[in-house]
Amino acid sequence: ADGVGTKLLLAIAANKHDTIGQDLVAMVANDILAQGAKPAFMLDYLAVDKMRPEVVATIVTGVAKAAKASGMALIGGESAELPGLYAPNHYDLAAFAVGIAERDQLLDPNRVKLGDVLIGLPSSGIHSNGYSLVRHVLGIKTDADFNHLATETQETLMTPTALYAKSVWPLVAQGMIKSMAHITGGGLTENLPRAYTTNLSAQVNWGSWPVLPIFNTLQAAGNLSVDDMLLTFNNGLGMVLVVKPEDSKQVIAQLSEVSQPAYLIGEMTARQDDSVVFQGVAPW
């Protein structure tokens, strides 16, 4: 179960509701995938201040399209009109989803060993985490503040979260993936350690994947520390796969066949001072 968070405020400011459904679906589908399960079905919950049929239809159509793209059936949902609880034109969006897996097919952090490699899948942008900080550093306090931003910046901030199930599930089904982390709130620092045990560290190499320009913009606007950036944003990586070294070329090749870019970003080492250790020169 998950929601979209304060990215909704930007969708409301822009009066653009066709992509926010994909953000919702991605939050649950990508989490299910990271367990080694196949997303199966979902239900959505939409609460509004007042029913506006065109807006509701646009939101739900976006949810349905993204569910289909993730291999899930949208089997139902609930909508509620709650005047007085929500400000005019405001709404909240949440989802409950179920995945299916054979027990022995579920990914297990205990299977991750020294020398296993990390393959990062790029994010499409900020995804759906860190938007309270985004709004703060960019000075977005009102709808007008958002609409005064450059059109390109508005579009970048609204880019929907990437869906990984279609490209990654075949690798899970083949047993090619040992473990996986969906990089959401908490960034690499907090999400990556869920994919392995406490006697290991993930050594991640700066420069091994493209950090998207929007993250440089946010860092500069807020004069944010490297720790702040790592704890709040995905910084260009939406999913990290842990695979055997001998399988890495095949995994990257199979992802390439379905037009899913992938980068070799590091490897598992014996436990160091931190559970995630960064090598090289940080971009900020």
Side-chain angles (χ1 to χ4, degrees):
D2 210 341
V4 178
T6 58
K7 188 174 186 176
L8 284 170
L9 291 173
L10 304 190
I12 292 161
N15 194 24
K16 184 180 187 302
H17 311 284
D18 57 335
T19 58
I20 206 76
Q22 179 168 324
D23 287 300
L24 178 69
V25 171
M27 287 297 97
V28 290
N30 292 343
D31 271 357
I32 286 170
L33 179 68
Q35 301 298 315
K38 189 175 192 295
F41 60 84
M42 65 172 284
L43 299 93
D44 64 328
Y45 171 73
L46 174 63
V48 299
D49 70 309
K50 177 177 171 55
M51 283 295 171
R52 296 173 181 82
E54 285 186 14
V55 172
V56 170
T58 302
I59 294 167
V60 175
T61 298
V63 172
K65 283 182 179 177
K68 186 176 181 181
S70 295
M72 285 195 294
L74 180 61
I75 61 169
E78 175 71 17
S79 58
E81 191 174 57
L82 304 172
L85 183 59
Y86 292 100
N89 297 311
H90 281 229
Y91 61 91
D92 199 8
L93 196 56
F96 169 81
V98 172
I100 188 165
E102 297 297 331
R103 188 180 295 277
D104 59 5
Q105 190 181 47
L106 286 168
L107 301 182
D108 184 358
N110 291 298
R111 292 170 52 210
V112 176
K113 306 294 183 196
L114 194 68
D116 285 342
V117 298
L118 304 171
I119 294 175
L121 307 185
S123 64
S124 57
I126 305 171
H127 282 183
S128 298
N129 301 99
Y131 275 84
S132 294
L133 185 56
V134 168
R135 291 182 299 113
H136 178 70
V137 302
L138 295 182
I140 304 171
K141 294 180 180 177
T142 65
D143 292 0
D145 291 335
F146 177 76
N147 290 307
H148 285 149
L149 295 173
T151 302
E152 184 182 354
T153 304
Q154 292 181 38
E155 290 174 353
T156 299
L157 295 180
M158 287 304 300
T159 302
T161 307
L163 300 165
Y164 297 105
K166 195 171 184 180
S167 58
V168 175
W169 171 252
L171 294 166
V172 177
Q174 293 169 51
M176 300 283 286
I177 309 294
K178 290 182 116 180
S179 193
M180 198 185 320
H182 182 202
I183 311 305
T184 54
L188 285 167
T189 309
E190 291 188 352
N191 288 287
L192 201 45
R194 298 176 181 176
Y196 47 86
T197 53
T198 54
N199 63 327
L200 295 170
S201 288
Q203 186 167 294
V204 177
N205 302 315
W206 284 119
S208 58
W209 79 93
V211 173
L212 300 173
I214 186 60
F215 296 111
N216 297 325
T217 300
L218 294 169
Q219 188 278 328
N223 191 26
L224 302 174
S225 68
V226 174
D227 284 346
D228 284 337
M229 293 297 292
L230 287 170
L231 269 170
T232 311
F233 301 119
N234 65 60
N235 297 303
L237 291 173
M239 190 76 84
V240 177
L241 316 177
V242 186
V243 304
K244 292 179 184 175
E246 59 267 29
D247 289 342
S248 61
K249 284 185 179 177
Q250 186 180 339
V251 167
I252 290 172
Q254 280 191 228
L255 290 169
S256 178
E257 285 173 12
V258 291
S259 302
Q260 171 63 68
Y263 305 97
L264 200 57
I265 64 164
E267 64 178 354
M268 300 307 304
T269 70
R271 179 70 185 197
Q272 300 184 49
D273 290 341
D274 296 304
S275 53
V276 183
V277 179
F278 291 87
Q279 291 285 325
V281 181
W284 315 289

CSV table of all heavy atoms in Angstrom, one decimal, residues 97-142:
chain,number,residue,atom,x,y,z
A,97,ALA,N,-1.9,-3.0,-3.6
A,97,ALA,CA,-1.6,-4.0,-4.7
A,97,ALA,C,-1.1,-5.3,-4.2
A,97,ALA,O,-0.5,-5.4,-3.1
A,97,ALA,CB,-0.5,-3.4,-5.7
A,98,VAL,N,-1.2,-6.4,-4.9
A,98,VAL,CA,-0.8,-7.7,-4.6
A,98,VAL,C,0.1,-8.3,-5.7
A,98,VAL,O,-0.2,-8.1,-6.9
A,98,VAL,CB,-2.0,-8.6,-4.3
A,98,VAL,CG1,-1.6,-10.1,-4.1
A,98,VAL,CG2,-2.8,-8.1,-3.1
A,99,GLY,N,1.1,-8.9,-5.3
A,99,GLY,CA,2.0,-9.7,-6.2
A,99,GLY,C,2.0,-11.1,-5.8
A,99,GLY,O,1.5,-11.5,-4.8
A,100,ILE,N,2.4,-11.9,-6.8
A,100,ILE,CA,2.4,-13.4,-6.5
A,100,ILE,C,3.8,-14.0,-6.8
A,100,ILE,O,4.5,-13.5,-7.8
A,100,ILE,CB,1.3,-14.1,-7.4
A,100,ILE,CG1,1.2,-15.5,-7.0
A,100,ILE,CG2,1.6,-13.9,-8.9
A,100,ILE,CD1,-0.1,-16.2,-7.5
A,101,ALA,N,4.2,-14.9,-6.0
A,101,ALA,CA,5.5,-15.6,-6.2
A,101,ALA,C,5.5,-17.0,-5.5
A,101,ALA,O,4.8,-17.1,-4.5
A,101,ALA,CB,6.7,-14.8,-5.7
A,102,GLU,N,6.2,-17.9,-6.1
A,102,GLU,CA,6.5,-19.1,-5.3
A,102,GLU,C,7.4,-18.8,-4.2
A,102,GLU,O,8.3,-17.9,-4.3
A,102,GLU,CB,7.1,-20.2,-6.2
A,102,GLU,CG,6.3,-20.6,-7.4
A,102,GLU,CD,5.0,-21.3,-7.0
A,102,GLU,OE1,5.0,-21.9,-5.9
A,102,GLU,OE2,4.0,-21.2,-7.7
A,103,ARG,N,7.3,-19.4,-3.0
A,103,ARG,CA,8.1,-19.0,-1.9
A,103,ARG,C,9.6,-19.1,-2.2
A,103,ARG,O,10.3,-18.2,-1.8
A,103,ARG,CB,7.7,-19.9,-0.7
A,103,ARG,CG,8.4,-19.5,0.6
A,103,ARG,CD,8.0,-20.4,1.7
A,103,ARG,NE,6.6,-20.4,2.1
A,103,ARG,CZ,6.0,-19.5,2.8
A,103,ARG,NH1,6.8,-18.5,3.4
A,103,ARG,NH2,4.7,-19.5,3.1
A,104,ASP,N,10.0,-20.1,-2.9
A,104,ASP,CA,11.4,-20.3,-3.2
A,104,ASP,C,11.9,-19.3,-4.3
A,104,ASP,O,13.1,-19.2,-4.5
A,104,ASP,CB,11.8,-21.7,-3.5
A,104,ASP,CG,11.1,-22.2,-4.8
A,104,ASP,OD1,10.3,-21.4,-5.4
A,104,ASP,OD2,11.2,-23.4,-5.1
A,105,GLN,N,11.0,-18.6,-4.9
A,105,GLN,CA,11.4,-17.6,-5.9
A,105,GLN,C,11.6,-16.2,-5.3
A,105,GLN,O,12.2,-15.4,-6.0
A,105,GLN,CB,10.2,-17.6,-6.9
A,105,GLN,CG,10.5,-16.8,-8.2
A,105,GLN,CD,9.3,-16.9,-9.1
A,105,GLN,OE1,8.1,-16.6,-8.7
A,105,GLN,NE2,9.5,-17.2,-10.4
A,106,LEU,N,11.1,-16.0,-4.1
A,106,LEU,CA,11.2,-14.6,-3.5
A,106,LEU,C,12.7,-14.3,-3.4
A,106,LEU,O,13.5,-15.2,-3.0
A,106,LEU,CB,10.5,-14.6,-2.2
A,106,LEU,CG,9.0,-14.5,-2.2
A,106,LEU,CD1,8.4,-14.8,-0.8
A,106,LEU,CD2,8.5,-13.2,-2.8
A,107,LEU,N,13.1,-13.1,-3.6
A,107,LEU,CA,14.4,-12.7,-3.5
A,107,LEU,C,14.8,-12.7,-2.0
A,107,LEU,O,14.0,-12.3,-1.1
A,107,LEU,CB,14.6,-11.3,-4.1
A,107,LEU,CG,14.3,-11.1,-5.6
A,107,LEU,CD1,14.6,-9.7,-6.1
A,107,LEU,CD2,15.1,-12.2,-6.4
A,108,ASP,N,16.1,-13.1,-1.7
A,108,ASP,CA,16.5,-13.2,-0.3
A,108,ASP,C,17.8,-12.5,-0.1
A,108,ASP,O,18.8,-12.9,-0.7
A,108,ASP,CB,16.6,-14.7,0.0
A,108,ASP,CG,17.0,-15.0,1.4
A,108,ASP,OD1,17.2,-14.0,2.2
A,108,ASP,OD2,17.1,-16.2,1.8
A,109,PRO,N,17.9,-11.5,0.7
A,109,PRO,CA,19.1,-10.8,1.0
A,109,PRO,C,20.2,-11.7,1.5
A,109,PRO,O,21.4,-11.4,1.3
A,109,PRO,CB,18.7,-9.8,2.1
A,109,PRO,CG,17.3,-9.6,1.9
A,109,PRO,CD,16.7,-10.9,1.4
A,110,ASN,N,19.8,-12.8,2.1
A,110,ASN,CA,20.8,-13.8,2.6
A,110,ASN,C,21.6,-14.5,1.5
A,110,ASN,O,22.7,-15.0,1.8
A,110,ASN,CB,20.2,-14.8,3.5
A,110,ASN,CG,19.6,-14.2,4.8
A,110,ASN,OD1,20.4,-13.7,5.6
A,110,ASN,ND2,18.3,-14.3,5.0
A,111,ARG,N,21.1,-14.4,0.3
A,111,ARG,CA,21.8,-15.1,-0.8
A,111,ARG,C,22.9,-14.2,-1.4
A,111,ARG,O,23.7,-14.6,-2.2
A,111,ARG,CB,20.8,-15.4,-1.9
A,111,ARG,CG,19.8,-16.5,-1.5
A,111,ARG,CD,18.7,-16.6,-2.6
A,111,ARG,NE,19.3,-16.8,-3.9
A,111,ARG,CZ,18.7,-16.3,-5.0
A,111,ARG,NH1,17.5,-15.7,-4.9
A,111,ARG,NH2,19.2,-16.5,-6.2
A,112,VAL,N,22.9,-12.9,-1.0
A,112,VAL,CA,23.9,-12.0,-1.6
A,112,VAL,C,25.3,-12.3,-0.9
A,112,VAL,O,25.4,-12.4,0.3
A,112,VAL,CB,23.5,-10.5,-1.3
A,112,VAL,CG1,24.6,-9.6,-1.8
A,112,VAL,CG2,22.2,-10.2,-2.0
A,113,LYS,N,26.3,-12.4,-1.8
A,113,LYS,CA,27.7,-12.8,-1.3
A,113,LYS,C,28.7,-11.7,-1.7
A,113,LYS,O,28.4,-10.8,-2.6
A,113,LYS,CB,28.1,-14.1,-2.0
A,113,LYS,CG,27.1,-15.2,-1.8
A,113,LYS,CD,27.0,-15.7,-0.4
A,113,LYS,CE,26.1,-16.9,-0.2
A,113,LYS,NZ,25.7,-17.1,1.2
A,114,LEU,N,29.8,-11.8,-1.1
A,114,LEU,CA,31.0,-10.9,-1.4
A,114,LEU,C,31.3,-11.0,-2.9
A,114,LEU,O,31.3,-12.1,-3.4
A,114,LEU,CB,32.2,-11.4,-0.6
A,114,LEU,CG,33.4,-10.6,-0.5
A,114,LEU,CD1,33.1,-9.3,0.4
A,114,LEU,CD2,34.6,-11.3,0.2
A,115,GLY,N,31.5,-9.9,-3.5
A,115,GLY,CA,31.8,-9.9,-5.0
A,115,GLY,C,30.7,-9.9,-5.9
A,115,GLY,O,30.9,-9.7,-7.1
A,116,ASP,N,29.4,-10.0,-5.4
A,116,ASP,CA,28.3,-9.8,-6.3
A,116,ASP,C,28.3,-8.4,-6.8
A,116,ASP,O,28.8,-7.5,-6.1
A,116,ASP,CB,27.0,-10.1,-5.5
A,116,ASP,CG,26.7,-11.6,-5.3
A,116,ASP,OD1,27.4,-12.4,-6.0
A,116,ASP,OD2,25.9,-12.0,-4.5
A,117,VAL,N,27.7,-8.2,-8.0
A,117,VAL,CA,27.8,-6.8,-8.5
A,117,VAL,C,26.4,-6.1,-8.5
A,117,VAL,O,25.4,-6.8,-8.4
A,117,VAL,CB,28.3,-6.9,-10.0
A,117,VAL,CG1,29.7,-7.4,-10.0
A,117,VAL,CG2,27.4,-7.7,-10.9
A,118,LEU,N,26.5,-4.8,-8.6
A,118,LEU,CA,25.3,-4.0,-8.5
A,118,LEU,C,25.0,-3.4,-9.9
A,118,LEU,O,25.9,-2.8,-10.5
A,118,LEU,CB,25.5,-2.8,-7.5
A,118,LEU,CG,25.9,-3.2,-6.1
A,118,LEU,CD1,26.3,-2.0,-5.3
A,118,LEU,CD2,24.7,-3.9,-5.4
A,119,ILE,N,23.8,-3.6,-10.4
A,119,ILE,CA,23.4,-3.0,-11.7
A,119,ILE,C,22.3,-2.0,-11.4
A,119,ILE,O,21.3,-2.4,-10.8
A,119,ILE,CB,23.0,-4.1,-12.6
A,119,ILE,CG1,24.1,-5.1,-13.0
A,119,ILE,CG2,22.3,-3.5,-13.9
A,119,ILE,CD1,23.8,-6.3,-13.8
A,120,GLY,N,22.6,-0.8,-11.8
A,120,GLY,CA,21.6,0.3,-11.5
A,120,GLY,C,20.8,0.5,-12.8
A,120,GLY,O,21.3,0.6,-13.9
A,121,LEU,N,19.5,0.7,-12.6
A,121,LEU,CA,18.5,1.1,-13.6
A,121,LEU,C,18.2,2.5,-13.4
A,121,LEU,O,17.8,2.9,-12.3
A,121,LEU,CB,17.3,0.2,-13.6
A,121,LEU,CG,17.5,-1.3,-13.6
A,121,LEU,CD1,16.2,-2.0,-13.7
A,121,LEU,CD2,18.4,-1.8,-14.7
A,122,PRO,N,18.3,3.3,-14.5
A,122,PRO,CA,18.1,4.8,-14.3
A,122,PRO,C,16.7,5.1,-14.0
A,122,PRO,O,15.7,4.5,-14.4
A,122,PRO,CB,18.5,5.4,-15.7
A,122,PRO,CG,18.4,4.2,-16.6
A,122,PRO,CD,18.7,3.0,-15.9
A,123,SER,N,16.6,6.2,-13.2
A,123,SER,CA,15.3,6.8,-12.9
A,123,SER,C,14.9,7.7,-14.1
A,123,SER,O,15.7,8.1,-14.9
A,123,SER,CB,15.3,7.6,-11.6
A,123,SER,OG,16.1,8.7,-11.7
A,124,SER,N,13.6,8.0,-14.1
A,124,SER,CA,13.1,8.9,-15.2
A,124,SER,C,13.2,10.4,-14.7
A,124,SER,O,13.0,11.3,-15.4
A,124,SER,CB,11.6,8.6,-15.5
A,124,SER,OG,10.8,8.6,-14.3
A,125,GLY,N,13.5,10.5,-13.4
A,125,GLY,CA,13.5,11.9,-12.8
A,125,GLY,C,13.5,11.7,-11.3
A,125,GLY,O,14.1,10.8,-10.7
A,126,ILE,N,12.8,12.6,-10.6
A,126,ILE,CA,12.7,12.6,-9.2
A,126,ILE,C,11.8,11.5,-8.7
A,126,ILE,O,11.9,11.1,-7.5
A,126,ILE,CB,12.2,14.0,-8.7
A,126,ILE,CG1,13.1,15.1,-9.2
A,126,ILE,CG2,12.2,14.1,-7.1
A,126,ILE,CD1,12.5,16.5,-8.9
A,127,HIS,N,11.0,10.9,-9.5
A,127,HIS,CA,10.0,9.9,-9.2
A,127,HIS,C,9.0,10.5,-8.3
A,127,HIS,O,8.4,11.5,-8.5
A,127,HIS,CB,10.7,8.6,-8.7
A,127,HIS,CG,11.3,7.8,-9.8
A,127,HIS,ND1,11.9,6.6,-9.7
A,127,HIS,CD2,11.4,8.1,-11.2
A,127,HIS,CE1,12.3,6.1,-10.8
A,127,HIS,NE2,12.0,7.0,-11.8
A,128,SER,N,8.8,9.9,-7.1
A,128,SER,CA,7.7,10.4,-6.2
A,128,SER,C,8.2,10.6,-4.8
A,128,SER,O,7.4,10.6,-3.9
A,128,SER,CB,6.5,9.4,-6.2
A,128,SER,OG,6.0,9.3,-7.5
A,129,ASN,N,9.5,10.9,-4.6
A,129,ASN,CA,10.0,11.1,-3.3
A,129,ASN,C,10.8,12.4,-3.2
A,129,ASN,O,11.5,12.7,-4.2
A,129,ASN,CB,10.9,9.9,-2.8
A,129,ASN,CG,10.1,8.6,-2.8
A,129,ASN,OD1,10.2,7.8,-3.8
A,129,ASN,ND2,9.3,8.4,-1.8
A,130,GLY,N,10.7,13.1,-2.1
A,130,GLY,CA,11.5,14.3,-1.9
A,130,GLY,C,10.9,15.6,-2.3
A,130,GLY,O,11.5,16.6,-2.4
A,131,TYR,N,9.6,15.5,-2.6
A,131,TYR,CA,8.9,16.7,-3.2
A,131,TYR,C,8.7,17.8,-2.2
A,131,TYR,O,8.5,19.0,-2.5
A,131,TYR,CB,7.6,16.3,-3.9
A,131,TYR,CG,7.9,15.9,-5.3
A,131,TYR,CD1,8.3,14.6,-5.7
A,131,TYR,CD2,7.9,16.9,-6.4
A,131,TYR,CE1,8.6,14.3,-7.0
A,131,TYR,CE2,8.2,16.5,-7.7
A,131,TYR,CZ,8.5,15.2,-8.0
A,131,TYR,OH,8.9,14.9,-9.2
A,132,SER,N,8.7,17.5,-0.9
A,132,SER,CA,8.6,18.5,0.1
A,132,SER,C,9.8,19.4,0.1
A,132,SER,O,9.8,20.6,0.2
A,132,SER,CB,8.4,17.9,1.5
A,132,SER,OG,7.1,17.3,1.6
A,133,LEU,N,11.0,18.7,-0.1
A,133,LEU,CA,12.3,19.4,-0.2
A,133,LEU,C,12.4,20.2,-1.5
A,133,LEU,O,12.8,21.3,-1.6
A,133,LEU,CB,13.4,18.5,0.0
A,133,LEU,CG,14.8,19.1,0.0
A,133,LEU,CD1,14.9,20.2,1.1
A,133,LEU,CD2,15.9,18.0,0.3
A,134,VAL,N,11.9,19.5,-2.6
A,134,VAL,CA,11.9,20.2,-3.9
A,134,VAL,C,11.1,21.5,-3.8
A,134,VAL,O,11.6,22.5,-4.3
A,134,VAL,CB,11.2,19.3,-5.0
A,134,VAL,CG1,10.9,20.0,-6.2
A,134,VAL,CG2,12.1,18.1,-5.3
A,135,ARG,N,9.9,21.5,-3.2
A,135,ARG,CA,9.1,22.7,-3.2
A,135,ARG,C,9.8,23.7,-2.3
A,135,ARG,O,9.7,24.9,-2.6
A,135,ARG,CB,7.7,22.3,-2.6
A,135,ARG,CG,6.9,21.5,-3.6
A,135,ARG,CD,5.5,21.2,-3.1
A,135,ARG,NE,5.5,20.4,-1.9
A,135,ARG,CZ,5.0,20.9,-0.7
A,135,ARG,NH1,4.6,22.1,-0.6
A,135,ARG,NH2,5.1,20.1,0.4
A,136,HIS,N,10.5,23.3,-1.2
A,136,HIS,CA,11.1,24.2,-0.4
A,136,HIS,C,12.3,24.9,-1.1
A,136,HIS,O,12.4,26.2,-1.1
A,136,HIS,CB,11.7,23.5,0.9
A,136,HIS,CG,12.4,24.4,1.8
A,136,HIS,ND1,11.8,25.3,2.6
A,136,HIS,CD2,13.7,24.4,2.1
A,136,HIS,CE1,12.7,26.0,3.3
A,136,HIS,NE2,13.9,25.4,3.0
A,137,VAL,N,13.2,24.2,-1.7
A,137,VAL,CA,14.4,24.8,-2.3
A,137,VAL,C,14.1,25.6,-3.6
A,137,VAL,O,14.8,26.5,-3.9
A,137,VAL,CB,15.5,23.7,-2.6
A,137,VAL,CG1,15.9,23.0,-1.3
A,137,VAL,CG2,15.1,22.8,-3.7
A,138,LEU,N,13.0,25.2,-4.2
A,138,LEU,CA,12.6,26.0,-5.4
A,138,LEU,C,11.6,27.1,-5.1
A,138,LEU,O,11.1,27.8,-6.0
A,138,LEU,CB,12.0,25.0,-6.5
A,138,LEU,CG,13.0,24.0,-7.1
A,138,LEU,CD1,12.3,23.2,-8.2
A,138,LEU,CD2,14.2,24.7,-7.7
A,139,GLY,N,11.2,27.2,-3.8
A,139,GLY,CA,10.3,28.3,-3.4
A,139,GLY,C,8.9,28.2,-3.9
A,139,GLY,O,8.2,29.1,-4.2
A,140,ILE,N,8.4,26.9,-4.0
A,140,ILE,CA,7.1,26.7,-4.5
A,140,ILE,C,6.1,26.6,-3.3
A,140,ILE,O,6.0,25.6,-2.6
A,140,ILE,CB,7.0,25.3,-5.3
A,140,ILE,CG1,8.0,25.4,-6.5
A,140,ILE,CG2,5.6,25.1,-5.8
A,140,ILE,CD1,8.1,24.0,-7.2
A,141,LYS,N,5.5,27.7,-3.0
A,141,LYS,CA,4.6,27.8,-1.9
A,141,LYS,C,3.1,27.8,-2.4
A,141,LYS,O,2.2,27.5,-1.6
A,141,LYS,CB,4.9,29.0,-1.0
A,141,LYS,CG,6.2,28.9,-0.3
A,141,LYS,CD,6.5,30.1,0.6
A,141,LYS,CE,7.8,29.9,1.3
A,141,LYS,NZ,8.2,31.1,2.1
A,142,THR,N,2.9,28.3,-3.6
A,142,THR,CA,1.6,28.4,-4.2
A,142,THR,C,1.5,27.9,-5.6
A,142,THR,O,2.6,27.6,-6.2
A,142,THR,CB,1.2,29.9,-4.2
A,142,THR,OG1,2.0,30.6,-5.2
A,142,THR,CG2,1.3,30.6,-2.9
